[in-house]
Amino acid sequence: MAGDPNQFEMFNRLLDEELAEAEHAALQEVLKEDAAAARQLAYMQRLDRLLRATPLASPSSDFTRRVMGAIAELELPEQIRRRMGIGIALGLAIAAILTVPVLSALLIIIARTVLDPQSLAALLGTLSGAASTLWGLGGSLADALNQVVFETPVVPALMTTAIPIGMVWAWLVWYLLGWPELLANRQRL
Amino acid sequence: MTVSEESDALLVHLTLEGDQQAFEDLVHRYERDVFNLTYRMLNERGEAEDAAQEAFLRAYSNLERYDVNRSFKTWLLSIASNHCIDRIRKRRLTWLSLEEPLPPHPALTSDTPNPEQATLENERNVVVQALLDNLSPDYRLAVVLRYWYDLSYAEIAEMLDTTESAIKSRLFRARQALAGELESQPASVLGPVLEGS
């Protein structure tokens, strides 16, 4: 019986109280002649009683409070995620609605401009004028900066001090807002 | 659907509408079931509480995916089971620091008012945990789900994404291995534990 492939089925069903009366009687007959199987079954039945008698283990008394505390910590990024999700969906919907008319209008304007020599010349003139104005502005700004830096050496010193201080402030704000903990919570999930 | 399952579905619905108290009620209702599973699987109270908390957090974060036609308890237990299996896989050998405070004796935190019964329960618990610890995680999980939650083979198979016959085979082999372990224990250890069962 110990090597019988049906043994596990019969023992399992016996332990699960699913054996019919006739099957139970037949099994008892077999066990009378197979001491090893009978011994094994006896230990399995002891084990079965032991497991059934062991109650559910309980967590500590403040378990629910701790779980709800952890959930409260999760809430902020969760709300942000949900709001961002809604924002992205709205943005995409608006973009989809606007795409066809805006693109059509743009194509019409481009086609009219390219096909009309006068408009094309005016557009090129405007573009080159804007480019030269920007170039001039950039040059003037560079000259002004050059003068300030070389005439007042305190400026570069202030800048080199302001950058690390700014970084420290940024880290402090990030830390005080609790972002490291929120990130850790998200990673845990 | 039972009254409890209907009430679970209502609490889930209220939670999704933003009612935190509803989820707190669910945690309170199932904390013992979830903790028992993580404790039987991990065999360490602190780690088991962490794992149980994690299971509830995962359930909360994925509540939108919960199918109300399924049992909430079974869904929750399957989250806890998967998490325990992950933890066991990742588990590394750790040393208990002598500076860490030891957990209180289970008899001190037991709900049982009678100290003698609490002691017996504790001894039984120690024997059961030692027996379970010898099983592979898959076998242990099948035993835990069958004995403490009275789930059918079909329900366990669905939870563990396998077949009913695989669960039957796993459970028999687990019972066989545990019975062998029980047989090898000295009678002086088992006597009082088995007497009460």
Side-chain angles (χ1 to χ4, degrees):
Chain A
M1 184 75 187
D4 190 337
N6 293 325
Q7 178 182 300
F8 87 86
E9 180 73 25
M10 293 294 272
F11 281 7
N12 260 352
R13 287 177 58 210
L14 179 74
L15 293 172
D16 295 334
E17 295 170 358
E18 289 172 357
L19 273 191
E21 222 167 284
E23 287 175 309
H24 195 272
L27 180 64
Q28 291 303 327
E29 284 302 313
V30 173
L31 290 174
K32 273 182 195 167
E33 292 168 16
D34 190 340
R39 188 178 167 79
Q40 189 183 36
L41 180 61
Y43 271 101
M44 286 174 93
Q45 284 173 321
R46 275 184 173 193
L47 171 84
D48 193 64
R49 284 197 299 274
L50 174 65
L51 292 176
R52 286 186 200 283
T54 308
L56 287 173
S58 299
S60 52
S61 54
D62 65 341
F63 179 77
T64 300
R65 189 183 56 76
R66 281 195 289 123
V67 171
M68 294 315 291
I71 284 171
E73 281 180 25
L74 278 181
E75 274 300 279
L76 184 62
E78 185 66 14
Q79 279 176 4
I80 291 169
R81 188 182 65 78
R82 282 182 187 169
R83 278 180 200 158
M84 270 180 68
I86 294 168
I88 289 168
L90 274 174
L92 284 173
I94 292 167
I97 292 165
L98 291 178
T99 299
V100 175
V102 168
L103 270 183
S104 310
L106 265 174
L107 278 173
I108 291 165
I109 291 167
I110 289 168
R112 278 190 184 167
T113 310
V114 169
L115 292 174
D116 181 10
Q118 274 187 336
S119 301
L120 190 62
L123 179 71
L124 289 174
T126 310
L127 284 177
S128 66
S132 62
T133 308
L134 279 176
W135 182 257
L137 270 175
S140 308
L141 193 66
D143 287 343
L145 273 175
N146 202 24
Q147 271 183 341
V148 169
V149 170
F150 283 105
E151 284 171 17
T152 53
V154 180
V155 173
L158 274 176
M159 280 174 75
T160 49
T161 318
I163 289 168
I165 288 175
M167 286 169 75
V168 169
W169 269 101
W171 176 82
L172 204 63
V173 169
W174 181 73
Y175 186 80
L176 290 176
L177 283 173
W179 283 100
E181 212 170 320
L182 294 176
L183 283 175
N185 278 338
R186 181 164 282 190
Q187 275 173 351
R188 267 196 296 140
L189 286 174
Chain B
M1 203 181 250
T2 64
V3 176
S4 165
E5 282 170 348
E6 265 182 35
S7 143
D8 285 350
L10 178 66
L11 289 173
V12 167
H13 176 72
L14 290 172
T15 306
L16 287 171
E17 301 237 304
D19 182 351
Q20 290 251 322
Q21 183 60 47
F23 195 73
E24 191 168 341
D25 290 348
L26 284 169
V27 176
H28 193 65
R29 185 176 289 180
Y30 292 116
E31 63 173 12
R32 219 170 157 210
D33 289 301
V34 173
F35 173 74
N36 180 68
L37 187 139
T38 57
Y39 177 60
R40 302 290 168 204
M41 288 300 290
L42 302 169
N43 197 15
E44 204 276 306
R45 281 193 74 86
E47 194 183 2
E49 285 212 357
D50 284 352
Q53 177 174 318
E54 192 64 40
F56 278 113
L57 290 180
R58 287 183 182 191
Y60 181 79
S61 300
N62 294 293
L63 210 54
E64 285 160 357
R65 290 187 216 162
Y66 164 64
D67 174 7
V68 285
N69 296 315
R70 280 183 69 189
S71 150
F72 182 74
K73 182 178 163 182
T74 311
W75 183 68
L76 199 55
L77 290 176
S78 71
I79 292 174
S81 306
N82 289 332
H83 183 57
C84 285
I85 298 283
D86 286 348
R87 272 191 182 239
I88 292 168
R89 280 187 192 139
K90 287 176 194 164
R91 197 180 252 178
R92 298 277 182 271
L93 186 67
T94 50
W95 295 94
L96 179 68
S97 166
L98 290 174
E99 287 167 19
E100 272 180 38
L102 288 167
H105 190 278
L108 299 174
T109 56
S110 169
D111 298 336
T112 315
N114 182 351
E116 276 177 26
Q117 199 175 341
T119 308
L120 179 66
E121 263 182 25
N122 180 43
E123 282 172 11
R124 192 180 288 152
N125 208 33
V126 169
V127 171
V128 167
Q129 285 305 112
L131 288 171
L132 289 175
D133 220 25
N134 288 315
L135 292 177
S136 72
D138 287 347
Y139 284 18
R140 203 183 311 164
L141 192 53
V143 170
V144 172
L145 292 173
R146 182 68 181 167
Y147 279 97
W148 278 279
Y149 303 97
D150 210 21
L151 295 175
S152 68
Y153 291 122
E155 285 170 316
I156 300 174
E158 193 192 334
M159 269 179 73
L160 306 184
D161 200 21
T162 184
T163 61
E164 247 183 271
S165 60
I167 294 299
K168 277 184 186 175
S169 163
R170 247 182 242 185
L171 197 65
F172 174 72
R173 287 181 205 290
R175 278 167 164 166
Q176 205 174 23
L178 291 174
E181 281 290 324
L182 203 62
E183 200 174 348
S184 65
Q185 299 280 329
S188 58
V189 173
L190 292 177
V193 170
L194 289 173
E195 268 171 28
S197 58

